[in-house]
Amino acid sequence: MEVISTQLKKNYGAYTALDVDQCSIPSGESFGLVGNNGAGKTTWFRCLLDLIEPDQGQVTIDGKPTKDTDAWKSFTGSYLDEQFLVGHLLPEEYFDFVASIHGISESDLKQKLDGFETLFNGEILGGKKLIRDLSKGNQKKVGIAAALLFDPKVLVLDEPFANLDPSTQIRLKELLKRLKEDRGVTMLISSHDLNHVTEVCERIVLLEKGKLVQDIRTSKETLKDLENYFAGIATKGVETTTEGPTSSDA
Amino acid sequence: MKNLLRITRIEMMESLRSPIWHRRVLVNIFLVLTFLYLAGNLLVLGVFLDDIFVKIPVDGIDYKTYGTSFVLRKLDRFLLYYFFIDLILRYFMQKLPAMAIQPYLHLPLRRSTLVHFMLVKTIWSPFNLLQFLIFIPFFFEVFENLSFGQALGWTSGFTLMVFVINYGLLYLKRTSDVDTRVYLGMLAVLALLIVSDWYDWVDFQHISALLFNGLFLHPWTALVPALLLVGAYLMNYQYIRKNMYLSRLSKTKRSEVSYVGSGVLSYFGLVGRLTELEFKFIWRNKRPKSVLMITVLFLAYGLLVFPNPQYDGNYYMYILFSIIITGMFMMNYGQYLLGWEGSHFDHILARNVSFRDYYMSKFLLFAIVSAAAMILGIPYVYFGWEILAVVFCVFLFNLGVNSHIVMFFGSMNPKKIDLSQGTVFNWQGVGAAQFLLVIPVMGFPVGIYALGALIYGPVGGYIFLGILGILGLAGTRFWIGLLASWLKRQRYEIADDFRNQ
């Protein structure tokens, strides 16, 4: 499933949160999005998932615009933040519900959840805590698992590694790599963590203040290059201090 | 002592800076007027309280036998009930003021100061003060009719009792978990008391009179409630002192919940599943749950009107009260239709469920609760078949017309609801739409009735309402289609609002 973003632009007042001419992500690509806070990563993903309306341009998945259509939702798994979780449910109940929307049988669901056993590390299932009472990290696990539950062909994750413990980060990386190799899932992943994202993604796009500034194939040198790039911003300083008014990326 | 004042000052600043004041002025004016109106009602009730009790006939208590104290003697017979009902209401509604001390725990303040602060603060609870609006005018009467000593005994005894209830309840709530079963149990005990009084098994009125008459017959007995108050206060004090650790006092209990799988409602397919989730939502969150509890209380609302000879044959009142009986839930819950789900609205947008199904599930929820209220309302037939006919016709109208109107208003300009807060005196999420809602939901049916009654008489009036309800019900798919396309157009704006709230 190919994801194409065309002429995408989003302003908040005079502030430009996102302004990307053209970017296509071919089917089966693992696509990493990096940038500082306020660079427009989440804004981009929200436009993609039809959660905010861009001022201009559109995103298509499999040739069809995501705006005003629903078909893409049946094969696109996504998790951006806690807004995606229904806090008053137990994780099992939430999975149940997502599964029923996608017409997954109970036995298939069980098998699926067994597959997440290592990711969950025994902390998610069988407990009596509602999702809203879980820790940030465990909430994230629930959200990611729910996004993967129905074997999506496209996967959109915002900061999947943040708040996770080191072991889970490693497990998640393995999981994502397997998804790409075994099933050819098109993956869009944003991250602050250059280490992880260069490990998982074959292509890295760098955003700065809403603009696409670099688009690179991941190689051995990529991590070093990126580190140098952000170190440069850190010493220059000035440009990064202008934060957007409403588009918090965190 | 100085520190106590400092904390008090900071706490007062908190209420002055409360987000309430940042709301639109119009809404605040309306709220203030509503409050003044209610307070005025209580005051008027207080002024006429003695006149009311003069008229209530009680065997053997009249002016001839008891002179100027006879009104008070009548009142005293009911005070036991009064305080018991007060306790039940408070158990359900009064909040524990535990959270407020957290920011001070790490500061070098004496623990006892903090505990006293917490306890003294509860005096200002509206649950204590509002009842004095009724009783202060009455106190004047008491002083006029009795000797100073007697009057002082009774009034101070009564005042002390109010605070005994206050601290007694706080202790009860602190030491045990708030449980719906306890609440229902208390209601059952109250019913039992009334029944046993009615059939003269136990004369609670006599016991009540004995206790409270003592206050003015032997004014020194006012010491008893005083001692009770000291006792209740000290019990609270001891308990808090002992448990004064963050983890214990912050009552944000991690509720333990058992898994509930799909039930009967899955018969309705995806829509049924959604409705089921919504029932879980209501049951697991404080505020929507109290909306449901209040709905149960208001089932009895008709008792104020149907048996009342003053309203005999007053169909306008019948209709207004019938709207409440079967429509209380949809109005009360539905006014925040989208606001309830403000914290996971992105989930609603991103999941593979159409807005049509989404609204259909809301409609199903209203229908189920309304129908349950209708079934529970069948005993109203006791007051005549016609009463039941009115309730039923209005039920149809609620289902077919009001439900859609409520859904529309609840989707307009929604505010995210903070679910952890209780419902009483909680104005969060209230906006102009909530006030406007009353006009179509209550005014429109009354207009329809008036029209029908003009042509065919009262029977025609309520049958009109029923027919309109059925017509509205037949058009459900159409109305829901309208709502769904409306939400589709507004979704970005609503989602954006929720993210920023």
Side-chain angles (χ1 to χ4, degrees):
Chain A
M1 297 286 170
E2 196 179 19
V3 180
I4 301 173
S5 148
T6 337
Q7 306 285 329
L8 211 56
K9 199 167 176 181
K10 178 75 190 170
N11 298 315
Y12 290 102
Y15 174 80
T16 302
L18 187 67
D19 183 6
V20 176
D21 274 348
Q22 176 77 33
C23 186
S24 38
I25 298 130
S27 194
E29 186 171 77
S30 54
F31 172 91
L33 201 54
V34 298
N36 286 322
N37 285 334
K41 302 187 296 293
T42 308
T43 307
W44 194 348
F45 282 175
R46 281 189 179 148
C47 285
L48 193 157
L49 295 171
D50 193 33
L51 296 175
I52 55 177
E53 189 176 26
D55 296 321
Q56 214 187 78
Q58 67 168 2
V59 179
T60 61
I61 298 182
D62 197 25
K64 287 180 213 79
T66 53
K67 189 169 185 289
D68 295 331
T69 61
D70 288 323
W72 58 275
K73 289 181 186 171
S74 60
F75 53 78
T76 305
S78 55
Y79 181 72
L80 301 193
D81 52 30
E82 303 92 74
Q83 282 258 339
F84 278 58
L85 298 173
V86 185
H88 64 274
L89 296 182
L90 292 168
E92 283 94 334
E93 292 170 337
Y94 181 64
F95 293 138
D96 245 18
F97 173 64
V98 174
S100 72
I101 291 179
H102 289 278
I104 296 172
S105 73
E106 245 168 80
S107 56
D108 282 355
L109 172 65
K110 194 172 174 318
Q111 203 183 342
K112 274 268 146 208
L113 289 179
D114 286 344
F116 291 125
E117 198 77 327
T118 49
L119 181 71
F120 289 160
N121 202 19
E123 290 165 66
I124 306 292
L125 298 177
K128 300 206 158 184
K129 274 190 192 175
L130 299 180
I131 291 178
R132 64 169 176 232
D133 295 331
L134 294 175
S135 69
K136 284 254 176 209
N138 282 339
Q139 285 181 343
K140 186 151 273 175
K141 289 182 201 170
V142 173
I144 292 173
L148 292 173
L149 211 56
F150 49 97
D151 293 331
K153 301 209 171 65
V154 180
L155 181 65
V156 184
L157 298 176
D158 193 19
E159 297 285 353
F161 303 107
N163 290 323
L164 293 184
D165 58 84
S167 310
T168 311
Q169 288 177 351
I170 293 165
R171 285 183 189 129
L172 180 61
K173 274 189 286 191
E174 292 307 316
L175 185 72
L176 292 176
K177 280 188 220 162
R178 262 210 323 277
L179 277 178
K180 182 188 153 43
E181 279 156 26
D182 300 353
R183 284 208 218 97
V185 176
T186 314
M187 281 191 280
L188 290 82
I189 293 168
S190 83
S191 183
H192 285 309
D193 195 312
L194 304 174
N195 247 318
H196 294 318
V197 79
T198 46
E199 202 178 312
V200 174
C201 298
E202 53 192 322
R203 173 183 174 196
I204 303 282
V205 159
L206 212 157
L207 281 185
E208 195 185 322
K209 289 185 196 164
K211 288 222 160 47
L212 196 159
V213 284
Q214 284 188 36
D215 186 347
I216 32 183
R217 296 269 125 207
T218 315
S219 64
K220 275 182 198 148
E221 289 77 40
T222 313
L223 181 61
K224 200 95 206 99
D225 290 348
L226 286 173
E227 276 173 355
N228 286 336
Y229 177 83
F230 284 105
I233 292 181
T235 45
K236 264 191 292 173
V238 196
E239 279 156 275
T240 49
T241 54
T242 47
E243 273 270 342
T246 50
S247 72
S248 62
D249 226 12
Chain B
M1 201 59 208
K2 227 183 209 164
N3 283 334
L4 199 60
L5 286 176
R6 282 201 190 105
I7 303 173
T8 313
R9 205 171 65 90
I10 293 176
E11 284 291 307
M12 275 165 69
M13 276 155 71
E14 188 202 354
S15 42
L16 285 177
R17 293 176 186 175
S18 144
I20 295 175
W21 307 110
H22 299 299
R23 239 197 334 245
R24 255 168 266 145
V25 187
L26 211 66
V27 172
N28 275 330
I29 291 176
F30 193 92
L31 289 179
V32 168
L33 287 179
T34 315
F35 178 77
L36 286 180
Y37 171 74
L38 290 175
N41 275 342
L42 292 180
L43 249 157
V44 170
L45 178 64
V47 171
F48 289 107
L49 196 63
D50 60 327
D51 297 304
I52 294 169
F53 272 92
V54 164
K55 282 197 192 119
I56 291 179
V58 179
D59 289 341
I61 299 184
D62 48 32
Y63 187 77
K64 263 187 281 172
T65 340
Y66 292 111
T68 47
S69 72
F70 87 105
V71 172
L72 200 53
R73 282 174 191 269
K74 282 185 184 179
L75 178 74
D76 281 349
R77 291 177 72 90
F78 299 101
L79 277 185
L80 210 56
Y81 284 109
Y82 175 81
F83 284 119
F84 190 59
I85 291 170
D86 185 33
L87 190 72
I88 295 176
L89 285 178
R90 284 171 187 251
Y91 183 79
F92 185 41
M93 304 201 278
Q94 195 172 359
K95 270 180 260 173
L96 278 180
M99 296 300 282
I101 63 157
Q102 282 200 8
Y104 309 113
L105 276 178
H106 66 104
L107 297 173
L109 295 166
R110 288 173 57 138
R111 294 190 150 209
S112 57
T113 309
L114 286 175
V115 180
H116 285 306
F117 168 71
M118 252 173 85
L119 287 174
V120 171
K121 202 179 131 176
T122 61
I123 290 176
W124 305 110
S125 159
F127 289 98
N128 296 326
L129 300 185
L130 281 178
Q131 40 190 326
F132 285 105
L133 281 177
I134 304 177
F135 281 99
I136 284 181
F138 188 73
F139 284 178
F140 282 105
E141 302 279 345
V142 173
F143 272 101
E144 234 168 72
N145 288 321
L146 301 179
S147 75
F148 182 78
Q150 288 182 324
L152 192 67
W154 192 87
T155 51
S156 55
F158 180 88
T159 309
L160 288 166
M161 266 316 285
V162 169
F163 292 103
V164 170
I165 297 286
N166 180 54
Y167 288 110
L169 173 99
L170 290 180
Y171 185 74
L172 185 74
K173 267 189 125 164
R174 270 208 179 91
T175 47
S176 65
D177 297 340
V178 173
D179 193 329
T180 325
R181 281 168 298 186
V182 175
Y183 171 64
L184 293 176
M186 284 163 112
L187 281 181
V189 170
L190 178 67
L192 195 70
L193 287 187
I194 292 173
V195 168
S196 56
D197 213 338
W198 186 264
Y199 289 106
D200 285 331
W201 297 335
V202 189
D203 195 349
F204 284 106
Q205 290 191 32
H206 181 68
I207 297 172
S208 176
L210 218 62
L211 292 173
F212 291 99
N213 286 345
L215 289 175
F216 67 87
L217 293 176
H218 316 285
W220 60 267
T221 50
L223 279 177
V224 176
L227 286 175
L228 283 177
L229 178 58
V230 172
Y233 186 93
L234 285 180
M235 267 158 72
N236 274 290
Y237 179 83
Q238 288 295 340
Y239 184 78
I240 299 175
R241 261 318 285 268
K242 239 185 262 163
N243 297 288
M244 207 165 161
Y245 298 99
L246 271 182
S247 56
R248 297 254 198 109
L249 274 184
S250 65
K251 270 254 176 174
T252 49
K253 254 186 271 81
R254 297 275 152 99
S255 40
E256 295 239 315
V257 178
S258 308
Y259 172 79
V260 184
S262 58
V264 207
L265 282 172
S266 48
Y267 171 76
F268 291 99
L270 183 57
V271 172
R273 293 294 306 249
L274 288 169
T275 309
E276 204 176 288
L277 286 193
E278 191 121 14
F279 274 117
K280 278 179 196 168
F281 166 81
I282 293 168
W283 199 251
R284 287 173 186 180
N285 289 290
K286 231 177 173 179
R287 198 166 159 190
K289 193 175 173 182
S290 38
V291 168
L292 195 66
M293 290 290 142
I294 287 170
T295 307
V296 176
L297 279 183
F298 271 83
L299 280 178
Y301 208 40
L303 291 177
L304 291 180
V305 148
F306 299 141
N308 193 335
Q310 205 185 330
Y311 298 115
D312 192 27
N314 186 341
Y315 284 89
Y316 287 102
M317 290 306 268
Y318 290 174
I319 282 167
L320 284 177
F321 278 70
S322 299
I323 293 172
I324 302 278
I325 291 168
T326 52
M328 185 70 186
F329 178 77
M330 67 171 76
M331 283 187 267
N332 226 341
Y333 183 79
Q335 61 180 334
Y336 308 119
L337 199 69
L338 299 183
W340 295 120
E341 304 195 80
S343 57
H344 58 260
F345 198 71
D346 279 353
H347 162 80
I348 290 168
L349 294 185
R351 74 191 176 188
N352 193 19
V353 174
S354 68
F355 290 146
R356 198 175 256 282
D357 285 348
Y358 178 65
Y359 274 115
M360 212 44 148
S361 76
K362 305 276 181 195
F363 177 74
L364 184 61
L365 172 77
F366 290 175
I368 290 171
V369 178
S370 255
M374 182 63 229
I375 290 167
L376 291 172
I378 287 177
Y380 278 127
V381 75
Y382 178 76
F383 303 114
W385 282 100
E386 189 154 29
I387 299 285
L388 190 66
V390 173
V391 175
F392 185 69
C393 284
V394 172
F395 161 68
L396 288 177
F397 185 86
N398 268 336
L399 207 59
V401 183
N402 274 347
S403 59
H404 302 303
I405 295 177
V406 167
M407 282 199 278
F408 177 72
F409 273 85
S411 312
M412 236 172 36
N413 198 5
K415 307 270 183 305
K416 188 153 134 186
I417 303 288
D418 179 4
L419 293 166
S420 57
Q421 301 297 317
T423 188
V424 189
F425 301 111
N426 187 348
W427 298 103
Q428 194 235 336
V430 176
Q434 275 70 40
F435 292 119
L436 287 176
L437 180 64
V438 177
I439 299 169
V441 168
M442 308 282 268
F444 185 48
V446 166
I448 296 292
Y449 167 77
L451 192 73
L454 201 68
I455 309 174
Y456 301 108
V459 180
Y462 58 75
I463 287 188
F464 246 49
L465 282 177
I467 291 173
L468 216 66
I470 293 172
L471 287 179
L473 213 52
T476 297
R477 294 212 156 268
F478 173 73
W479 304 121
I480 285 193
L482 281 186
L483 279 164
S485 61
W486 184 86
L487 183 61
K488 204 169 173 74
R489 261 179 284 129
Q490 299 294 316
R491 65 188 188 277
Y492 299 117
E493 214 177 298
I494 293 172
D496 206 40
D497 277 354
F498 282 152
R499 275 182 218 121
N500 292 327
Q501 276 169 25

